[in-house]
């Protein structure tokens, strides 16, 4: 049989283990909360960086689109001026070319 001193010591040991488990549970909770806070901060930082990158990319695309539109408008203006000059210098040749292009479009359209 166990004597009272052994039972008292066993109860103290069990109580100490319960205290240690409680302290360990609090430490684990604190670490988990800290990790969750860090993960949230990192997620926010990643989101902000991704958003800034997307906004930069959209800005770059917009600038390129505007530049391309400007270049296309310049090219169209140049072609228009060249055509006007060619028609003014050679109206009969220009009319022949227009008729030829119209004929080719008509033949192609029928197919």
């Amino acid at each position: 049989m166990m004597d009272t001193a052994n039972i008292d010591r066993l109860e103290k040991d069990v109580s100490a283990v319960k205290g240690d488990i409680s302290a360990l549970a609090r430490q684990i909770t604190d670490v988990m909360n800290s990790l969750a806070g860090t993960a949230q901060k990192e997620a926010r930082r990643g989101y902000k960086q991704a958003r800034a990158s997307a906004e930069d990319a959209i800005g770059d695309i917009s600038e390129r689109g505007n530049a391309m539109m400007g270049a296309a408008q310049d090219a169209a203006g140049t072609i228009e001026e060249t055509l006007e000059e060619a028609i003014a210098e050679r109206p009969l040749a220009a009319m022949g070319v227009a008729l030829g292009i119209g004929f080719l479009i008509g033949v192609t359209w029928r197919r």
Side-chain angles (χ1 to χ4, degrees):
M1 289 213 248
M2 292 184 123
D3 62 36
T4 333
N6 285 336
I7 292 175
D8 287 341
R9 194 173 342 140
L10 183 61
E11 286 177 353
K12 286 180 184 177
D13 288 345
V14 168
S15 179
V17 168
K18 284 181 181 178
D20 290 345
I21 289 174
S22 237
L24 183 59
R26 281 191 303 273
Q27 288 176 349
I28 289 173
T29 301
D30 291 345
V31 168
M32 294 302 283
N33 288 336
S34 176
L35 288 175
T38 302
Q40 273 186 328
K41 288 177 187 174
E42 288 300 317
R44 280 191 206 121
R45 184 179 304 137
Y47 170 75
K48 287 178 183 176
Q49 288 175 347
R51 184 175 178 181
S53 295
E55 288 173 354
D56 289 344
I58 289 170
D60 289 347
I61 290 169
S62 177
E63 287 176 17
R64 285 188 212 150
N66 289 337
M68 290 175 72
M69 181 63 91
Q73 287 173 343
D74 291 344
T78 302
I79 290 171
E80 183 180 352
E81 290 172 9
T82 304
L83 284 174
E84 286 177 2
E85 289 173 10
I87 291 170
E89 289 176 12
R90 299 185 180 155
L92 291 177
M95 195 187 293
V97 169
L99 286 172
I101 291 173
F103 177 76
L104 288 175
I105 290 173
V107 169
T108 305
W109 198 280
R110 286 185 190 169
R111 292 182 183 178

